[in-house]
Structure formats: structure tokens, C-alpha cells
Amino acid sequence: MGKRVAIVGAGVSGLASIRCCLEEGLEPICFERSNDVGGLWKFSDRAEEGRASIYRSVFTNSSKEMMCFPDFPYPDDYPNYMHHSKLQEYIRIFAQKKNLLRYIQFETLVSSIKKCPSFLVTGQWEVVSEKDGKQESAIFDAVMICSGHHVYPNLPTDSFPGLHQFQGQYLHSRDYKDPEAFRGKRVLVIGLGNSGSDIAVELSRLATQVIISSRSGSWVMSRVWNDGYPWDMVYVTRFASFLQNTLPSFVSDWLYVKKMNTWFKHENYGLMPLNGPLRKEPVFNDELPSRILCGTVSIKPSVKEFTETSAVFEDGTMFEAIDSIIFATGYDYAYPFLDDSIIKSRNSEVTLFKGIFPPLIEKPTLAVIGLVQSLGAAIPTADLQARWAAKVFANSCTLPTTSEMMDDIDEKMGKKLKWFGQSQTLQTDYITYMDELSSFIGAKPNIPWLFLTDPQLALEVFFGPCSPYQFRLMGPGKWDGARNAILTQWDRTVKPTRTRAVSEAQRPQHFYTLLKMLSFPVLLLVIWLTFY
């Protein structure tokens, strides 16, 4: 084994990091504070300090073909969207099949990570861990932080005048587990993200009244997309990304808003985002519009102030006799075991090259895996991040200079603010980002070459879903089964839904999709030629 690498956390990012270190001949040692792998997906019936917490009814928002490890497809009978217990089962199987468990120290807390005195020469880190009340210090050549960003709740109590005098109960969504305690209650949910929407819909079946307070609104998407296929299998494609990045912004924005309003008109439901064309992450909820139609959930603007029993909204209306408030207000990014200036090196904002490497440390021996957010699944993103980081640690890839990295961060930040808005600075475009990372390690799919050598595969890669297998198709770390996995991904998609087979299974027709998507630009050109 080569250099020793400390990995903090054994969730999907940690497991990807262990595997990628082994691929590069590094020696990984993973520290996990719980007694099992899974991280966020390891459910507990109570919120545990220092660990991510999910509620009992959580299902995935990404479909199985889009959120697998790139060389490890789910069994074809798994549902497309999985309950957390099913995903946890898959994660355990992956760890066992890849023989990763031997590198994990369970029930071990990392309490401190500091540069060694010789860091300027060696780039080494001193890692202090704790197990059974005993501390142990060890020296590592590199560190991969994989502890996630759903751990430390953002509870903005100071932003709500009068909250201190509220006589009911309030809690963060992190502490919510199931709806039974709210039966017959009047509940205010603050926040219109995925958690807030899920919780509000679930509560609406038992509570007397549920209101969601939203500051800026949000697009709401169904998991079920065109012709009943999973949304990301249809929406997250290279062709769609190509159009999005090449069409004039006013055309791209118009198409985006039109697509988001296909299911229902958001303005009629009080959900319309204040800045509609922004590509901030939509809410995935198949039931919220129905709950609003049935009157069991209502949408209101921001809370202006609280009284002892009520909330006064910005529009002057009130929600009275509130029993409980649930703050679905997200999380803060915090790594208490690490000097804060390493990750937040400028203006207290997260400053990382490609969302992974701190640009200002003297040696590139620390990487953050799984912090970037995109309209794509976390597992393949973490896998690609970890592959690059492991190659940097093994000296088979080099990073640009500090000034070049800072310039890139500034350039990308400007684009992110334009596309995603001020509050979404860790957001990125999935396919653009994945192509960028894969190009650093020589694994980016060569689409022109595929069209010349394997047209059937090329059509599926370009017009079909940008599934994780594409990033183990060629180059270092290629998987021999990637081609077959891509060509059979629709079979695994429809298998769990065709439990009553009445005809041949149908899959999307790429040529029809191409014609449909090109029709609007062609129409614009005809109009322009007619009038000018």
C-alpha cells in the first residue's frame, strides 16, 4: 500500500472514497461515528448528535438508474424510486461486494484534523479520533472529508420577531420522524424545499390544518415525467444540456419556465418562484398540488411576526391557534474537527476548487467529497470526485496553480449566481460538472468517436439519460460492463412497473424527442425570416 488517507464518514461519499483510494494504490482508513455504513440513509428513530437525520417516509428523488455507483447497477426488480431502507440495503451490498468494510473503523469519532508541523514539506495531517472514550492520534498523508452537509440544522429563530413568545412547540425538520404526534393539530411549516413539502403533505392526512410559508416560492416537479418515465431519465440528457447551454438565454429561460408549468400552473397554486428562470433545485413532490386542491395544505408568503398563538404573514393574513411550527430551513455547512478557514477561506463562504479542493493550502492533500449540489444524483457525483481526488493524492494528476484555481472559482461563481441565485452558491449544472471532472482524469465520454465507432451506443449516450455508467465507459477506471448497462438501462427501468404485462415494453424514441425539441427553434427561425 502507498500513502495513508484518512476518510471521515462511511456514507456513499466515504465508500466511494475508500474504493477509489484502493484503485490508486493508496491505503484508506475510514472513521465512522455510527455502527453501520450509509450516512444520511442510515435511518434512526431519533435525531443523533453529529449525524444526518431523515424521517421515516423518505423516498429518493433520483431514479435508480441515475443514482447508482457507476459500475454497480441496482437489481432490475428494485423500484425506480426507493424507500430509504431499500437504498441502505443497496449501499451495504456495495460495501460488502467491493470488500470495503475492512477499511472502516466504526463507532469512532474524528475530533480534530490539523496540519502537521512539517506540512509545508510533507503535506501531512494529524488526525485525532475517539472510540470508547479513548483518544488516538495518527499521521496521514491525505484527508478526504465525506461527512456530508445535512448534519447541522439552520434554525433562524432571530429572523422571526415574536418567536420567543410563541407558546406552542417548534422544531427543525431534522427532528421530525413521523406525523402521529401532530394528529388533529394546526401546523405551520416554514420552508418550501423537499423536506418541507414532504412533511406538509404527510401531515395533511392527520393534522387539522397545514400551512407552508415560503419566502420565494419554488418549482414543483413530479417524479413521473413524460409518458410515465422517471423524470431524470428523460430530463437529464446530454442533448437537453447542449440546448440549454447553446440557445439564447431568453429562449432557454422561456422553455424552462414552460416545461416547469406543464404539469400545473404554479401561479394558480401560490407556488410560482419570484425569479422563475433561475435553475435552483426544484421540489419533487407528486402530491403537493393535489393536497392544495383538496384544501388540506395552503401556501402563504413569509412570516412577518409571531404572537403567542399565531403567525402574521407578509400579506397581512394570519394563521391562528397554531399548535406546532416545523422549520424546514436547511442546514449549515460545518466541519467542527477542522479549522474553519480551510473550507471557508474567503468572506466566510465555501471556497473550494471544483467544490473539492481548498485552493489556498500549500499542499493539495485535503479534499471535500459530496458537498457540491446539482440536479443530479449524489452517488455518481461523489464517485467521480473521489476518483479525481485519489489521483491527485497519488500524484497521477496535478492541480492548477493557486491563482488559476481562485480565478476559476470567481468565474464559476459569477455563472452560478446568474443561473441559480445568491442562496445556491454550491449548486452546479450536473452534466457540465461531471464532464469537467471526468476530463481531468481522462474518462470523459468521447461522443464524436462513439458516433463513428458505435452509433447505437452514441445515440443512447447523447439523447438518452446521462446515467452514471457513462463515466466508467472509457479511460482510467473503465468498467467492461458499462456499454451493456447503458443499452439495457430502460429494461431495468420498466421491469418493476410491468408487473402486469399487457404488451411489449416501450422506451423513449430518441428521433421523436429530437424533432420535438427542435420544433420551437425552427418555428422561431421561420417567424424571424417572415418578418425580417
Side-chain angles (χ1 to χ4, degrees), residues 55 224 308 435 497:
Y55 35 97
V224 185
E308 289 86 349
D435 278 350
T497 60

Side-chain angles (χ1 to χ4, degrees), residues 192-434:
L192 186 59
N194 284 302
S195 294
S197 301
D198 279 353
I199 291 169
V201 165
E202 187 169 71
L203 289 177
S204 70
R205 299 187 183 93
L206 295 181
T208 299
Q209 178 67 52
V210 178
I211 286 182
I212 299 176
S213 168
S214 174
R215 181 178 56 193
S216 58
S218 185
W219 296 118
V220 177
M221 287 173 56
S222 172
R223 293 178 177 88
V224 185
W225 206 242
N226 296 355
D227 300 319
Y229 297 112
W231 76 269
D232 46 0
M233 295 283 284
V234 178
Y235 188 84
V236 184
T237 72
R238 291 185 174 277
F239 179 64
S241 178
F242 168 76
L243 286 183
Q244 174 181 285
N245 288 297
T246 55
L247 288 174
S249 59
F250 76 93
V251 177
S252 177
D253 291 348
W254 184 87
L255 286 171
Y256 179 75
V257 171
K258 181 176 175 59
K259 192 65 177 175
M260 290 295 115
N261 267 324
T262 302
W263 184 22
F264 67 95
K265 299 300 181 185
H266 283 65
E267 57 266 34
N268 294 346
Y269 287 69
L271 295 166
M272 186 75 179
L274 292 180
N275 192 334
L278 281 182
R279 269 43 164 204
K280 72 175 188 177
E281 184 180 4
V283 168
F284 294 93
N285 197 294
D286 302 289
E287 298 181 72
L288 181 59
S290 172
R291 296 284 93 194
I292 295 173
L293 275 178
C294 293
T296 56
V297 174
S298 301
I299 309 297
K300 288 287 186 180
S302 296
V303 174
K304 181 179 179 181
E305 61 179 341
F306 286 101
T307 68
E308 289 86 349
T309 59
S310 305
V312 181
F313 299 106
E314 293 287 355
D315 61 3
T317 58
M318 293 182 67
F319 183 28
E320 299 183 293
I322 301 173
D323 296 296
S324 301
I325 304 168
I326 299 177
F327 285 89
T329 45
Y331 293 83
D332 291 324
Y333 308 102
Y335 302 101
F337 46 79
L338 188 70
D339 189 319
D340 208 36
S341 65
I342 292 176
I343 304 295
K344 298 180 179 180
S345 59
R346 184 177 61 179
N347 301 327
S348 296
E349 67 183 23
V350 175
T351 312
L352 297 170
F353 179 58
K354 307 304 180 188
I356 303 172
F357 294 101
L360 300 181
I361 59 174
E362 298 83 359
K363 295 285 185 179
T365 55
L366 184 140
V368 181
I369 309 298
L371 183 59
V372 163
Q373 296 171 278
S374 69
L375 197 60
I379 293 178
T381 304
D383 182 79
L384 203 44
Q385 289 178 329
R387 286 168 70 187
W388 183 31
K391 287 184 177 294
V392 170
F393 296 159
N395 296 322
S396 56
C397 279
T398 57
L399 296 181
T401 65
T402 296
S403 62
E404 289 172 334
M405 287 191 284
M406 292 301 296
D407 288 344
D408 182 84
I409 290 170
D410 290 337
E411 179 188 351
K412 292 293 190 297
M413 188 62 70
K415 291 181 179 178
K416 287 178 182 180
L417 291 174
K418 178 182 176 182
W419 276 77
F420 306 113
Q422 184 65 47
S423 63
Q424 304 290 324
T425 53
L426 289 172
Q427 194 86 8
T428 190
D429 178 67
Y430 178 70
I431 294 177
T432 302
Y433 181 69
M434 295 290 277

Side-chain angles (χ1 to χ4, degrees), residues 60-64 66-67 80-82 223 231-232 376-378:
T60 63
N61 290 329
S62 296
S63 63
K64 65 176 182 178
M66 301 295 281
M67 68 175 300
N80 283 286
Y81 296 104
M82 290 165 286
R223 293 178 177 88
W231 76 269
D232 46 0

